[in-house]
Amino acid sequence: MPAPPCTSCHAARAALRRPRSGQALCGACFCTAFEAEVLHTVLAGRLLPPGAVVAVGASGGKDSTVLAHVLRELAPRLGISLQLVAVDEGIGGYRDAALAAVRRQAARWELPLTVVAYEDLFGGWTMDAVARSTAGSGRSRSCCTFCGVLRRRALEEGARRVGATHIVTGHNADDMAETVLMNFLRGDAGRLARGGSLGSPGEGGALPRCRPLQFASQKEVVLYAHFRRLDYFSEECVYAPEAFRGHARDLLKRLEAARPSAVLDLVHSAERLALAASARPPRPGACSRCGALASRALCQACALLDGLNRGRPRLAIGKGRRGLDEEATPGTPGDPAQTPTPKAVPTF
């Protein structure tokens, strides 16, 4: 049976039905519609003002590849300039191939590329070294937690090096729905309250961040990459199989099979979430060591590195961070007794 005509141009045959709307479109019309929706997200959310220098977090994967390509197409209309910033986490047998894909993209699209490495930024630590350090501590399954904290810091540093005014990342709707589920399952009210917006405004001197693909499904991101014939790296990180996110992803797939709107329902639920006054986290202060935003004496990145350097990685995440503050040597950076505690002010 021949494919129906495209419901947009009425000239070409439809190549797909959009997963959510069921609209039959040819590849060209689908890509045009996808780009228009991302443009609407950026404009409606006032995410990237004219004149912005935008650092695109480029991992070589499908999401960041699609994001960079779409923003390159939209840049003249938005009045922005783009810089690709890639992070080398130091994962043997994985990151080199991903960075090769980023370099091919930068050359093909004639976009400047800057690569920052964990090893250079964090005193010689790479993710492989972190994994070895945590292997016997009961924290080996937390590699993605460690990497997420360091990657965020590294991307911020790379963006500053290129003079960026804004940072964009390729998180899609499925990623955000998984994050909402994870925060619910962990009972993390603070992250739930912060996780529904399209980004962060840049508190405490941090650069503003946003997620232009937040309402785009993973399926449509893949379809866009297919029809635009984009070159991207598709292998899973070697540390991902043990991550807690995988359980949330499996649960989300089952929920979506029963209720196709589950992904966007979760994303929009997080947007509308409000915390009771008693549950609202205090306004973060400044890290006593690096000056970044922090809810304790040390920010997450400094706490993580401090725990690793002491040979006690469990102090870097979770409840162990309290122990890190308590065990800080008097008179050293991060010691609460020597560092004024920022006054807690409700954020909502």
Side-chain angles (χ1 to χ4, degrees), residues 255-334:
L255 291 172
E256 192 177 17
R259 182 183 175 89
S261 64
V263 169
L264 274 184
D265 288 345
L266 280 166
V267 173
H268 291 311
S269 294
E271 289 180 318
R272 299 178 177 90
L273 181 70
L275 293 181
S278 60
R280 294 171 186 168
R283 185 182 297 277
C287 174
S288 60
R289 187 166 297 174
C290 71
L293 282 177
S295 58
R296 297 181 181 274
L298 296 181
C299 68
Q300 285 184 305
C302 288
L304 182 154
L305 293 168
D306 201 76
L308 290 170
N309 288 330
R310 292 189 193 193
R312 299 191 62 188
R314 84 173 275 128
L315 290 180
I317 58 175
K319 295 180 180 179
R321 289 198 60 198
R322 179 177 299 176
L324 180 66
D325 289 341
E326 292 171 352
E327 293 183 15
T329 304
T332 62

Coordinates of all heavy atoms in Angstrom, one line a residue, residues 255-334:
L255 N 5.5 3.1 31.1 CA 4.5 4.1 31.3 C 4.0 4.7 30.0 O 2.8 4.9 29.7 CB 5.0 5.3 32.2 CG 5.2 4.9 33.7 CD1 5.9 6.1 34.4 CD2 3.9 4.6 34.4
E256 N 5.0 4.9 29.1 CA 4.6 5.5 27.8 C 3.9 4.5 26.9 O 3.0 4.9 26.1 CB 5.9 5.9 27.0 CG 5.7 6.8 25.8 CD 7.0 7.2 25.2 OE1 8.0 6.7 25.5 OE2 6.9 8.2 24.4
A257 N 4.1 3.2 27.1 CA 3.4 2.2 26.3 C 1.9 2.2 26.8 O 1.0 2.0 25.9 CB 4.0 0.8 26.6
A258 N 1.7 2.4 28.0 CA 0.3 2.5 28.5 C -0.4 3.8 28.3 O -1.6 3.9 28.1 CB 0.3 2.1 30.0
R259 N 0.4 4.9 28.3 CA -0.1 6.2 28.2 C 0.9 7.0 27.3 O 1.9 7.5 27.8 CB -0.3 6.9 29.5 CG -0.8 8.3 29.5 CD -0.9 8.9 30.9 NE -1.3 10.3 30.9 CZ -2.6 10.7 31.0 NH1 -3.6 9.8 31.1 NH2 -2.9 11.9 31.0
P260 N 0.7 7.2 26.0 CA 1.6 7.8 25.1 C 2.0 9.2 25.5 O 3.1 9.7 25.2 CB 0.9 7.8 23.8 CG 0.0 6.6 23.9 CD -0.5 6.6 25.3
S261 N 1.2 9.9 26.3 CA 1.5 11.3 26.7 C 2.3 11.4 28.0 O 2.6 12.5 28.5 CB 0.2 12.1 26.8 OG -0.6 11.6 27.9
A262 N 2.7 10.2 28.5 CA 3.4 10.2 29.8 C 4.6 11.1 29.9 O 4.9 11.7 30.9 CB 3.7 8.8 30.2
V263 N 5.4 11.1 28.8 CA 6.7 11.8 28.8 C 6.4 13.3 29.0 O 6.9 14.0 30.0 CB 7.5 11.6 27.5 CG1 8.7 12.6 27.4 CG2 8.0 10.2 27.5
L264 N 5.6 13.9 28.1 CA 5.3 15.3 28.3 C 4.5 15.6 29.5 O 4.6 16.7 30.1 CB 4.6 15.8 27.0 CG 5.5 16.3 25.9 CD1 4.6 16.8 24.7 CD2 6.5 17.3 26.3
D265 N 3.6 14.7 29.9 CA 2.9 14.9 31.2 C 3.8 15.1 32.4 O 3.6 16.0 33.2 CB 1.9 13.7 31.5 CG 0.8 13.7 30.5 OD1 0.5 14.7 29.8 OD2 0.1 12.6 30.4
L266 N 4.9 14.3 32.4 CA 5.8 14.4 33.5 C 6.6 15.8 33.4 O 6.8 16.4 34.4 CB 6.8 13.2 33.5 CG 6.3 12.0 34.1 CD1 7.2 10.8 33.7 CD2 6.2 12.1 35.6
V267 N 7.0 16.1 32.2 CA 7.7 17.4 32.0 C 6.9 18.6 32.4 O 7.3 19.4 33.2 CB 8.2 17.5 30.5 CG1 8.8 18.9 30.3 CG2 9.2 16.4 30.1
H268 N 5.6 18.6 32.0 CA 4.7 19.7 32.4 C 4.4 19.7 33.9 O 4.1 20.7 34.5 CB 3.5 19.7 31.5 CG 3.8 20.0 30.1 ND1 4.5 21.1 29.7 CD2 3.4 19.4 28.9 CE1 4.6 21.2 28.4 NE2 3.9 20.1 27.9
S269 N 4.3 18.5 34.5 CA 4.0 18.4 35.9 C 5.1 19.1 36.7 O 4.9 19.8 37.7 CB 3.9 16.9 36.3 OG 2.8 16.3 35.7
A270 N 6.4 18.8 36.3 CA 7.5 19.5 37.0 C 7.4 21.0 36.8 O 7.8 21.7 37.7 CB 8.8 18.9 36.4
E271 N 7.0 21.5 35.7 CA 6.8 22.9 35.5 C 5.9 23.6 36.5 O 6.1 24.7 36.9 CB 6.3 23.2 34.1 CG 7.3 23.0 32.9 CD 6.7 23.3 31.6 OE1 5.5 22.9 31.4 OE2 7.4 23.9 30.8
R272 N 4.9 22.8 36.8 CA 3.8 23.4 37.7 C 4.0 23.0 39.2 O 3.1 23.4 40.0 CB 2.4 22.9 37.2 CG 2.1 23.3 35.8 CD 0.8 22.7 35.3 NE 0.5 23.2 33.9 CZ 0.8 22.5 32.8 NH1 1.5 21.4 32.9 NH2 0.5 23.0 31.7
L273 N 5.0 22.3 39.5 CA 5.2 21.8 40.9 C 5.5 23.0 41.8 O 6.3 23.9 41.5 CB 6.3 20.8 40.9 CG 6.7 20.3 42.3 CD1 5.5 19.3 42.8 CD2 8.0 19.5 42.3
A274 N 4.8 23.1 42.9 CA 5.1 24.1 43.9 C 5.3 23.4 45.3 O 4.6 22.5 45.6 CB 3.9 25.1 44.0
L275 N 6.3 23.9 46.0 CA 6.6 23.3 47.3 C 6.0 24.1 48.4 O 5.9 25.3 48.4 CB 8.1 23.2 47.5 CG 8.9 22.3 46.6 CD1 10.4 22.4 47.0 CD2 8.5 20.9 46.7
A276 N 5.6 23.4 49.5 CA 5.1 24.0 50.7 C 6.3 24.8 51.3 O 7.5 24.5 51.1 CB 4.6 23.0 51.7
A277 N 5.9 25.9 52.0 CA 7.0 26.8 52.5 C 8.0 26.0 53.4 O 9.2 26.3 53.4 CB 6.3 27.9 53.3
S278 N 7.5 25.0 54.1 CA 8.4 24.3 55.0 C 9.4 23.4 54.3 O 10.4 23.0 54.8 CB 7.6 23.4 56.0 OG 6.8 22.5 55.3
A279 N 9.1 23.1 53.0 CA 9.9 22.2 52.2 C 10.8 22.9 51.3 O 11.7 22.3 50.6 CB 9.0 21.2 51.4
R280 N 10.7 24.3 51.2 CA 11.5 25.0 50.3 C 13.0 25.1 50.7 O 13.3 25.4 51.8 CB 10.9 26.4 50.1 CG 9.6 26.5 49.5 CD 9.0 27.9 49.6 NE 7.6 27.9 49.1 CZ 6.8 28.9 49.3 NH1 7.1 30.0 49.9 NH2 5.5 28.8 48.8
P281 N 13.9 24.8 49.8 CA 15.3 24.9 50.1 C 15.8 26.3 50.3 O 15.2 27.2 49.7 CB 16.0 24.2 49.0 CG 15.1 24.4 47.8 CD 13.7 24.4 48.4
P282 N 16.8 26.6 51.1 CA 17.3 27.9 51.3 C 18.0 28.4 50.0 O 18.5 27.5 49.2 CB 18.2 27.8 52.5 CG 18.7 26.4 52.5 CD 17.5 25.6 52.0
R283 N 18.2 29.6 49.9 CA 18.9 30.2 48.7 C 20.4 29.7 48.9 O 21.0 29.9 50.0 CB 18.8 31.7 48.7 CG 19.5 32.3 47.5 CD 19.4 33.8 47.5 NE 18.1 34.3 47.4 CZ 17.4 34.4 46.3 NH1 17.9 34.1 45.2 NH2 16.1 34.8 46.3
P284 N 21.0 29.2 47.8 CA 22.4 28.8 47.9 C 23.3 29.9 48.2 O 23.0 31.1 47.7 CB 22.6 28.1 46.6 CG 21.6 28.7 45.7 CD 20.4 28.9 46.5
G285 N 24.4 29.6 48.8 CA 25.4 30.7 49.0 C 26.6 30.4 48.1 O 26.4 29.9 47.0
A286 N 27.8 30.8 48.5 CA 29.0 30.6 47.7 C 29.9 29.6 48.3 O 30.1 29.6 49.5 CB 29.7 32.0 47.5
C287 N 30.5 28.8 47.4 CA 31.5 27.8 47.9 C 32.7 28.6 48.5 O 33.2 29.5 47.9 CB 31.9 26.9 46.7 SG 33.3 25.8 47.1
S288 N 33.1 28.1 49.6 CA 34.2 28.8 50.3 C 35.6 28.5 49.6 O 36.6 29.2 49.8 CB 34.4 28.3 51.8 OG 34.6 26.9 51.8
R289 N 35.6 27.6 48.7 CA 36.8 27.2 48.0 C 36.9 27.8 46.6 O 37.9 28.4 46.2 CB 37.0 25.7 47.9 CG 38.3 25.3 47.4 CD 38.6 23.8 47.7 NE 38.6 23.5 49.1 CZ 38.7 22.3 49.6 NH1 38.7 21.2 48.8 NH2 38.7 22.1 50.9
C290 N 35.8 27.7 45.8 CA 35.9 28.2 44.4 C 34.9 29.3 44.1 O 35.0 29.9 43.0 CB 35.7 27.0 43.5 SG 33.9 26.5 43.5
G291 N 34.0 29.6 45.0 CA 33.1 30.7 44.8 C 31.8 30.3 44.0 O 30.9 31.2 43.8
A292 N 31.7 29.1 43.6 CA 30.5 28.6 42.9 C 29.3 28.5 43.8 O 29.5 28.5 45.1 CB 30.8 27.3 42.2
L293 N 28.1 28.4 43.3 CA 26.9 28.2 44.1 C 27.0 27.0 44.9 O 27.5 25.9 44.5 CB 25.7 28.1 43.2 CG 25.1 29.4 42.6 CD1 23.9 29.0 41.7 CD2 24.7 30.3 43.7
A294 N 26.6 27.1 46.2 CA 26.7 25.9 47.1 C 25.7 26.0 48.2 O 25.4 27.1 48.7 CB 28.1 25.9 47.7
S295 N 25.1 24.9 48.6 CA 24.2 24.8 49.7 C 24.9 24.5 51.0 O 24.2 24.5 52.0 CB 23.1 23.8 49.4 OG 23.6 22.5 49.2
R296 N 26.2 24.1 50.9 CA 27.0 23.9 52.1 C 28.3 24.7 52.0 O 28.4 25.5 51.1 CB 27.3 22.4 52.2 CG 26.0 21.5 52.4 CD 26.4 20.1 52.5 NE 25.3 19.2 52.7 CZ 24.7 18.9 53.9 NH1 25.2 19.4 55.0 NH2 23.7 18.1 53.9
A297 N 29.2 24.4 52.9 CA 30.4 25.1 52.8 C 31.2 24.9 51.5 O 31.8 25.9 51.0 CB 31.3 24.7 54.0
L298 N 31.1 23.7 51.0 CA 31.7 23.4 49.7 C 30.6 23.1 48.7 O 29.6 22.4 49.0 CB 32.7 22.2 49.8 CG 33.9 22.3 50.7 CD1 34.7 21.0 50.7 CD2 34.7 23.5 50.3
C299 N 30.9 23.5 47.4 CA 30.0 23.1 46.4 C 30.1 21.6 46.1 O 31.1 21.0 46.6 CB 30.3 23.9 45.1 SG 31.8 23.6 44.3
Q300 N 29.2 21.1 45.2 CA 29.3 19.7 44.9 C 30.6 19.3 44.3 O 31.2 18.2 44.6 CB 28.2 19.3 44.0 CG 26.8 19.2 44.6 CD 25.7 18.8 43.7 OE1 25.6 19.3 42.6 NE2 25.0 17.8 44.1
A301 N 31.1 20.1 43.4 CA 32.4 19.7 42.7 C 33.6 19.7 43.6 O 34.4 18.7 43.7 CB 32.6 20.6 41.5
C302 N 33.7 20.7 44.5 CA 34.8 20.8 45.4 C 34.7 19.7 46.5 O 35.7 19.1 46.9 CB 34.8 22.1 46.1 SG 35.4 23.4 45.0
A303 N 33.4 19.4 46.9 CA 33.2 18.3 47.9 C 33.6 16.9 47.3 O 34.3 16.1 47.9 CB 31.8 18.3 48.3
L304 N 33.2 16.7 46.0 CA 33.6 15.5 45.3 C 35.1 15.3 45.2 O 35.6 14.3 45.6 CB 32.9 15.5 43.9 CG 33.1 14.3 43.0 CD1 31.9 14.3 42.0 CD2 34.4 14.4 42.3
L305 N 35.8 16.4 44.8 CA 37.2 16.3 44.6 C 37.9 16.1 46.0 O 38.9 15.4 46.1 CB 37.7 17.5 43.9 CG 37.3 17.6 42.4 CD1 37.6 19.0 41.9 CD2 38.0 16.6 41.6
D306 N 37.4 16.8 47.0 CA 37.9 16.7 48.3 C 37.8 15.2 48.8 O 38.8 14.7 49.4 CB 37.2 17.6 49.3 CG 38.1 17.9 50.5 OD1 39.0 18.7 50.4 OD2 37.8 17.4 51.6
G307 N 36.7 14.6 48.7 CA 36.5 13.2 49.1 C 37.4 12.3 48.3 O 38.0 11.4 48.9
L308 N 37.6 12.5 47.0 CA 38.4 11.7 46.2 C 39.9 11.8 46.6 O 40.6 10.8 46.7 CB 38.3 12.0 44.7 CG 37.0 11.6 44.0 CD1 36.9 12.3 42.6 CD2 36.8 10.1 44.0
N309 N 40.3 13.1 46.8 CA 41.7 13.3 47.2 C 42.0 12.7 48.6 O 43.2 12.4 48.9 CB 42.0 14.8 47.2 CG 42.1 15.4 45.8 OD1 42.5 14.6 44.9 ND2 41.7 16.6 45.6
R310 N 41.0 12.6 49.5 CA 41.2 12.0 50.8 C 41.2 10.5 50.7 O 41.5 9.8 51.7 CB 40.1 12.5 51.7 CG 40.2 13.9 52.1 CD 39.2 14.1 53.2 NE 38.9 15.5 53.5 CZ 38.2 15.9 54.6 NH1 37.8 15.0 55.5 NH2 38.0 17.1 54.8
G311 N 40.8 10.0 49.6 CA 40.6 8.5 49.5 C 39.3 8.1 50.1 O 39.2 6.9 50.4
R312 N 38.4 9.0 50.3 CA 37.1 8.7 50.9 C 36.0 9.2 49.9 O 35.3 10.2 50.2 CB 37.0 9.2 52.2 CG 38.0 8.7 53.2 CD 37.7 9.1 54.6 NE 36.4 8.6 55.1 CZ 35.9 8.9 56.3 NH1 36.4 9.8 57.0 NH2 34.7 8.4 56.6
P313 N 35.8 8.6 48.8 CA 34.8 9.1 47.8 C 33.4 9.2 48.3 O 32.6 9.9 47.8 CB 35.0 8.2 46.6 CG 35.6 6.9 47.2 CD 36.5 7.3 48.3
R314 N 33.0 8.4 49.3 CA 31.6 8.4 49.7 C 31.3 9.7 50.4 O 30.1 10.1 50.5 CB 31.3 7.2 50.6 CG 31.6 7.4 52.1 CD 31.1 6.3 53.0 NE 29.7 6.4 53.3 CZ 28.8 5.5 53.2 NH1 29.0 4.4 52.6 NH2 27.6 5.7 53.6
L315 N 32.3 10.5 50.8 CA 32.1 11.8 51.4 C 31.6 12.8 50.4 O 31.1 13.9 50.7 CB 33.3 12.3 52.1 CG 33.8 11.7 53.3 CD1 35.0 12.3 53.9 CD2 32.7 11.7 54.4
A316 N 31.8 12.5 49.1 CA 31.6 13.5 48.0 C 30.1 13.6 47.7 O 29.7 14.6 47.1 CB 32.4 13.1 46.8
I317 N 29.3 12.6 47.9 CA 27.9 12.6 47.4 C 27.0 12.1 48.6 O 27.4 11.5 49.5 CB 27.7 11.7 46.2 CG1 28.1 10.2 46.5 CG2 28.4 12.2 45.0 CD1 27.8 9.3 45.4
G318 N 25.7 12.4 48.4 CA 24.7 11.9 49.4 C 24.9 12.4 50.8 O 25.5 13.4 51.0
K319 N 24.5 11.5 51.7 CA 24.6 11.9 53.1 C 26.0 12.1 53.6 O 26.2 12.8 54.6 CB 23.9 10.9 54.0 CG 22.4 10.8 53.7 CD 21.7 9.7 54.5 CE 20.2 9.6 54.3 NZ 19.6 8.6 55.1
G320 N 27.0 11.5 52.9 CA 28.4 11.6 53.3 C 28.9 13.0 53.3 O 29.9 13.4 53.9
R321 N 28.2 13.9 52.5 CA 28.7 15.3 52.4 C 28.6 16.0 53.8 O 29.4 16.9 54.1 CB 27.9 16.1 51.4 CG 28.2 15.7 50.0 CD 27.7 16.7 49.0 NE 28.4 18.0 49.3 CZ 28.0 19.2 48.8 NH1 26.9 19.2 48.1 NH2 28.6 20.3 49.1
R322 N 27.7 15.6 54.6 CA 27.6 16.2 56.0 C 28.9 15.8 56.7 O 29.5 16.7 57.4 CB 26.4 15.7 56.7 CG 26.3 16.2 58.1 CD 25.0 15.7 58.8 NE 23.9 16.1 58.1 CZ 22.6 15.8 58.4 NH1 22.4 15.0 59.4 NH2 21.6 16.2 57.7
G323 N 29.3 14.6 56.6 CA 30.6 14.2 57.2 C 31.8 15.0 56.7 O 32.7 15.3 57.4
L324 N 31.7 15.3 55.4 CA 32.8 16.1 54.8 C 32.9 17.4 55.5 O 34.0 17.9 55.9 CB 32.6 16.3 53.3 CG 33.6 17.1 52.6 CD1 34.9 16.3 52.5 CD2 33.1 17.3 51.1
D325 N 31.8 18.1 55.7 CA 31.8 19.4 56.4 C 32.3 19.3 57.8 O 33.0 20.1 58.3 CB 30.4 20.0 56.4 CG 30.0 20.5 55.0 OD1 30.9 20.7 54.1 OD2 28.8 20.6 54.7
E326 N 31.8 18.2 58.5 CA 32.2 18.0 59.9 C 33.6 17.7 60.1 O 34.2 18.1 61.1 CB 31.3 16.9 60.5 CG 29.8 17.3 60.6 CD 29.0 16.1 61.0 OE1 29.5 15.0 61.0 OE2 27.8 16.3 61.2
E327 N 34.2 17.0 59.1 CA 35.6 16.6 59.2 C 36.6 17.6 58.6 O 37.8 17.3 58.6 CB 35.8 15.2 58.5 CG 35.0 14.1 59.2 CD 35.3 12.8 58.5 OE1 36.3 12.7 57.8 OE2 34.6 11.8 58.8
A328 N 36.1 18.7 58.1 CA 37.0 19.7 57.5 C 38.0 20.2 58.6 O 37.6 20.4 59.8 CB 36.3 20.9 57.0
T329 N 39.3 20.2 58.3 CA 40.3 20.6 59.2 C 40.2 22.1 59.5 O 40.1 22.9 58.6 CB 41.7 20.4 58.6 OG1 41.8 19.0 58.3 CG2 42.8 20.7 59.6
P330 N 40.1 22.5 60.8 CA 40.0 23.9 61.2 C 41.1 24.8 60.5 O 42.2 24.4 60.5 CB 40.1 23.9 62.7 CG 39.7 22.6 63.1 CD 40.2 21.6 62.0
G331 N 40.6 25.9 60.0 CA 41.6 26.8 59.4 C 41.8 26.6 57.9 O 42.5 27.3 57.2
T332 N 41.2 25.5 57.3 CA 41.4 25.2 55.9 C 40.1 25.6 55.1 O 39.1 25.7 55.7 CB 41.6 23.7 55.7 OG1 40.4 23.0 56.1 CG2 42.8 23.2 56.4
P333 N 40.3 25.8 53.8 CA 39.1 26.2 53.0 C 38.0 25.2 53.2 O 38.3 24.0 53.1 CB 39.7 26.3 51.6 CG 41.1 26.5 51.7 CD 41.5 25.8 53.0
G334 N 36.8 25.6 53.3 CA 35.7 24.7 53.5 C 35.3 24.4 54.9 O 34.4 23.7 55.2

